[in-house]
Amino acid sequence: MKLLLTTLMILAFTTTVGGCGEGKTPPAANATQTAAATGVPDFTVTTLEGKTLRLSELRGQVVVVDYWATWCGPCRIAMPHLQKLHEEYRSQGVTVLALSVDQKGPSVVVPFIRQNGFTFAVAMADERSASAFGNFSSIPTTVIVRPDGRVHTTLTGVHPYEEYVAAVKAARAAAPGTRG
């Protein structure tokens, strides 16, 4: 019984700190992966406000794409970081796009966004947008796309706000001669 409780506590802690996921091999808590600056397949989403966003039309900007869900505790912790990033860096050529993987759809996402006052772009992830950056087994997963349209960094789990800022600045610096 004691072993079962200990195992459950470790599992709960790992999921809460690292991220929410159902993968067979969850990534290490707060893992950071720097991609080999690969191009991203284009995708188009419609935001909850009805605006069409096409990834390729955001070239010249750093794009922060975050996969999340309303039921995910670590996602809820990360969302205010994304809002702050949006507020402080949108005028400097940074776009935040949160793609919800909630299976219940906008009926749960819209109230959550409104209640928390988030003003960055939010859309429902579809098959194309969810697979654009390869498979991920845990949320939140945040992909930082350079102004030249290449993946710069992938952050899995919750990170301090300063790490998001550092990733955005590094992505901008990695693609010299672009806006931002």
Side-chain angles (χ1 to χ4, degrees):
M1 182 68 165
K2 198 173 195 180
L3 179 60
L4 176 63
L5 286 174
T6 303
T7 303
L8 288 174
M9 287 177 57
I10 290 171
L11 182 60
F13 177 76
T14 303
T15 300
T16 303
V17 173
C20 301
E22 297 177 0
K24 292 179 182 171
T25 327
N30 295 324
T32 301
Q33 171 189 352
T34 301
T38 57
V40 177
D42 197 20
F43 63 83
T44 302
V45 294
T46 302
T47 68
L48 297 178
E49 290 147 354
K51 181 181 177 186
T52 300
L53 279 180
R54 184 178 194 123
L55 187 62
S56 62
E57 292 174 358
L58 298 174
R59 290 271 165 87
Q61 300 180 44
V62 172
V63 183
V64 178
V65 181
D66 185 67
Y67 295 95
W68 70 287
T70 57
W71 48 263
C72 169
C75 299
R76 289 173 169 256
I77 294 168
M79 294 294 272
H81 295 327
L82 298 177
Q83 179 63 32
K84 187 174 179 182
L85 198 64
H86 170 68
E87 290 171 359
E88 293 184 5
Y89 289 92
R90 71 178 159 206
S91 65
Q92 298 175 42
V94 175
T95 296
V96 175
L97 173 59
L99 296 175
S100 173
V101 297
D102 277 280
Q103 291 184 351
K104 292 183 180 179
S107 66
V108 296
V109 176
V110 170
F112 176 81
I113 295 300
R114 287 186 180 149
Q115 288 169 355
N116 289 285
F118 299 132
T119 58
F120 47 81
V122 179
M124 300 305 300
D126 58 18
E127 191 173 321
R128 185 149 174 88
S129 62
S131 64
F133 303 101
N135 295 326
F136 56 91
S137 62
S138 183
I139 55 174
T141 293
T142 307
V143 181
I144 311 294
V145 181
R146 298 178 353 184
D148 61 5
R150 296 182 171 278
V151 172
H152 181 70
T153 302
T154 300
L155 304 171
T156 302
V158 181
H159 294 263
Y161 174 70
E162 296 75 21
E163 286 187 34
Y164 294 96
V165 171
V168 164
K169 289 180 177 180
R172 188 171 33 209
T178 55
R179 189 178 87 164

